[in-house]
């Protein structure tokens, strides 16, 4: 559910090609660290809930680009939800007794580790962190910027206009998964390629962890997955999170669990729409979304301004497989609404539909009506909120 400055050298002495003598200055052949060695104090501003635990990204203060060290405590004991590590991790038990449930749910095995033990988790391990009341763990992961290495980074280089970028780190978090797993990464790539030329910030597109709704309804399971991802984003040092779905799922719970802004695309884009004039319409993906989005628009206080919600009748996987077809369906609705003349702007009320339309926007004629790029607006809104 989610991450760059120069690090101090951490190579052990026996790996260095040269070691200085007492009389020889320790500079030859090596660049000096940009920051002095120092003790990193407790940073309560970075302490965030993680299930029954509280986790603090201690080395975030040092700006390390490779190593991340986290302090995890269990005030009342218990276990977190499953998390699959996308990096190598070691867990040192500083106090108490850790209980790590490792593996898929049906095949979980428990590792009990006492104070002074060190547990190694290879990349790809699924784990539920746990411990008795008062247990304290020291987690070290590498690389700490694993999200950046596995997803397309936006804003970390200069764009075509030569603007310096990378001032804020924003997580574009999709709170669901496509029926075809390969479409998750494809969608992330499409979104980042579209947003890159227009932002000055580092944006990482990612999805929540896979979740099952067995034993609870889908909304409840999704809320757990979203909140966990937002808490992780807090711990990983992001500056804001965009919940990348116009159902704005779990936004209220995520905001309560977060110290950084959590952006709801539909809520934000409706606010922008009325700046273009008193009336707007919404275009979304599937018919069942029409009622849901109309209800949200009303709940946000824009019911009188919205003339209606129209679906193009395509679901997510189909849209990604035929982006031009989806964009053409959007343009047909735009043309009709423009001809009717009742609205001044249109909100694309689906992140997937918005990505498809923006991919092909240039092939359609200007209909004389503002069609809002909700994905880009959400990212820019997140950057503003992060300030």
């Amino acid at each position: 559910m989610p991450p760059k400055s120069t690090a101090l050298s951490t190579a052990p002495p026996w790996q260095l090609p040269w070691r200085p003598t007492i009389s020889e200055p320790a500079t030859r052949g090596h660049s000096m660290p940009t920051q002095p060695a120092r003790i990193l104090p407790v940073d309560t501003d970075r302490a965030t809930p993680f299930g029954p635990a509280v986790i603090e990204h201690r080395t975030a203060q040092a700006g390390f680009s490779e190593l991340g060290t986290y302090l995890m405590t269990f005030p009342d004991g218990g276990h977190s939800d499953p998390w699959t590590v996308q990096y190598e991790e070691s867990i040192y038990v500083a106090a108490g007794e850790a209980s790590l449930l490792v593996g898929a749910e049906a095949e979980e095995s428990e590792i009990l580790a006492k104070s002074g033990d060190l547990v190694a988790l290879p990349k790809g391990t699924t784990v539920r962190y746990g411990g008795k009341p008062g247990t304290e763990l020291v987690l070290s992961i590498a690389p700490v910027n694993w999200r950046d290495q596995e997803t397309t980074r936006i804003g970390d280089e200069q764009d075509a206009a030569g603007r310096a970028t990378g001032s804020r780190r924003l997580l574009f978090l999709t709170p669901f998964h496509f029926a075809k797993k390969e479409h998750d990464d494809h969608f992330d790539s499409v979104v980042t390629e579209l947003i890159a030329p227009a932002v000055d910030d580092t944006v990482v597109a990612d999805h929540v962890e896979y979740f099952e709704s067995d034993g609870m309804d889908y909304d409840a399971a999704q809320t757990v997955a979203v909140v966990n991802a937002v808490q992780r984003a807090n711990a990983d040092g992001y500056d804001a999170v965009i919940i990348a779905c116009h159902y704005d799922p779990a936004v209220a719970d995520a905001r309560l669990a977060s110290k950084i802004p959590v952006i709801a695309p539909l809520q934000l884009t409706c606010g922008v729409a009325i700046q273009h004039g008193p009336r707007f319409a919404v275009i979304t993906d599937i018919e069942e979304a029409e009622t849901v989005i109309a209800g949200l628009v009303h709940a946000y206080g824009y019911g009188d301004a919205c003339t209606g919600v129209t679906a193009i009748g395509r679901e997510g996987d189909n849209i990604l497989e035929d982006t031009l077809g989806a964009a053409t369906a959007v343009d047909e609705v735009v043309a009709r609404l423009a001809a009717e003349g009742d609205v001044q702007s249109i909100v694309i009320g689906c992140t997937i539909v918005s990505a498809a339309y923006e991919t092909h926007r240039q092939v359609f004629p200007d209909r004389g009506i503002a069609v809002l790029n909700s994905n880009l607006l959400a990212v820019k809104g997140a950057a503003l909120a992060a300030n």
Side-chain angles (χ1 to χ4, degrees):
M1 93 225 309
K4 293 183 214 3
S5 56
T6 304
L8 301 179
S9 174
T10 55
W14 56 86
Q15 291 184 1
L16 297 176
W18 159 82
R19 278 183 274 175
T21 63
I22 294 176
S23 61
E24 195 172 8
T27 58
R28 189 180 66 190
H30 298 273
S31 60
M32 294 298 290
T34 58
Q35 300 181 44
R38 59 195 174 101
I39 294 175
L40 300 177
V42 174
D43 187 354
T44 56
D45 288 340
R46 294 186 183 274
T48 59
F50 183 65
V54 176
I55 188 168
E56 177 207 344
H57 185 184
R58 182 66 62 89
T59 51
Q61 305 170 61
F64 284 177
S65 60
E66 295 295 330
L67 175 69
T69 301
Y70 299 75
L71 275 62
M72 180 181 287
T73 60
F74 292 83
D76 301 311
H79 285 89
S80 71
D81 289 322
W83 171 255
T84 300
V85 300
Q86 304 300 322
Y87 37 77
E88 295 177 342
E89 177 172 334
S90 68
I91 303 172
Y92 177 75
V93 184
E97 181 177 283
S99 168
L100 305 174
L101 301 179
V102 177
E105 186 174 357
E107 302 174 351
E108 278 185 345
S109 60
E110 184 178 26
I111 296 177
L112 292 175
K114 62 183 184 299
S115 179
D117 285 342
L118 184 70
V119 179
L121 298 182
K123 180 180 179 179
T125 302
T126 297
V127 59
R128 290 203 289 146
Y129 302 92
K132 292 183 176 180
T135 294
E136 299 178 1
L137 308 179
V138 180
L139 283 58
S140 294
I141 72 171
V144 68
N145 62 343
W146 60 273
R147 291 183 189 272
D148 294 341
Q149 295 186 11
E150 296 190 359
T151 60
T152 304
R153 288 167 35 181
I154 295 179
D156 58 350
E157 298 178 354
Q158 293 186 337
D159 64 17
R163 293 174 294 179
T165 62
S167 57
R168 288 167 294 265
R169 297 171 62 239
L170 313 173
L171 177 61
F172 192 87
L173 178 70
T174 300
F176 57 83
H177 292 269
F178 290 91
K180 296 182 179 180
K181 291 184 177 181
E182 63 270 21
H183 283 167
D184 285 358
D185 289 340
H186 177 58
F187 178 63
D188 292 343
S189 296
V190 170
V191 168
T192 53
E193 288 170 6
L194 289 168
I195 295 176
V199 299
D200 294 337
D201 303 287
T202 298
V203 178
V204 175
D206 204 354
H207 287 66
V208 296
E209 288 289 293
Y210 281 96
F211 59 91
E212 300 291 340
S213 56
D214 296 340
M216 66 174 74
D217 65 31
Y218 178 88
D219 289 345
Q222 185 182 49
T223 295
V224 171
V226 169
V227 169
N228 285 343
V230 169
Q231 290 175 340
R232 176 71 68 168
N234 276 257
D236 285 346
Y238 281 93
D239 296 297
V241 178
I242 301 101
I243 306 299
C245 173
H246 283 70
Y247 278 20
D248 293 350
V251 164
D253 295 274
R255 285 171 175 165
L256 287 173
S258 180
K259 294 182 178 180
I260 60 177
V262 177
I263 303 303
L266 181 63
Q267 184 182 41
L268 184 146
T269 311
C270 287
V272 174
I274 62 170
Q275 310 307 314
H276 289 268
R279 307 280 279 173
F280 68 89
V282 181
I283 300 175
T284 190
D285 54 352
I286 55 178
E287 282 76 7
E288 67 185 57
E290 293 177 344
T291 302
V292 176
I293 289 180
L296 286 169
V297 170
H298 181 80
Y300 291 147
Y302 301 110
D304 292 339
C306 182
T307 63
V309 182
T310 302
I312 62 171
R314 293 171 179 249
E315 52 80 32
D317 290 271
N318 174 267
I319 294 170
L320 289 182
E321 291 170 350
D322 182 16
T323 56
L324 180 57
T328 300
V330 171
D331 182 64
E332 291 171 355
V333 180
V334 172
R336 174 177 61 79
L337 291 169
E340 292 172 353
D342 293 333
V343 301
Q344 294 77 46
S345 63
I346 297 172
V347 172
I348 305 297
C350 171
T351 52
I352 313 166
V353 175
S354 181
Y357 181 72
E358 294 304 324
T359 300
H360 303 284
R361 181 193 280 257
Q362 72 279 2
V363 306
F364 303 113
D366 184 354
R367 304 294 184 183
I369 190 170
V371 182
L372 303 180
N373 183 345
S374 56
N375 292 344
L376 181 58
L377 285 172
V379 169
K380 289 193 171 185
L384 289 172
N387 278 338

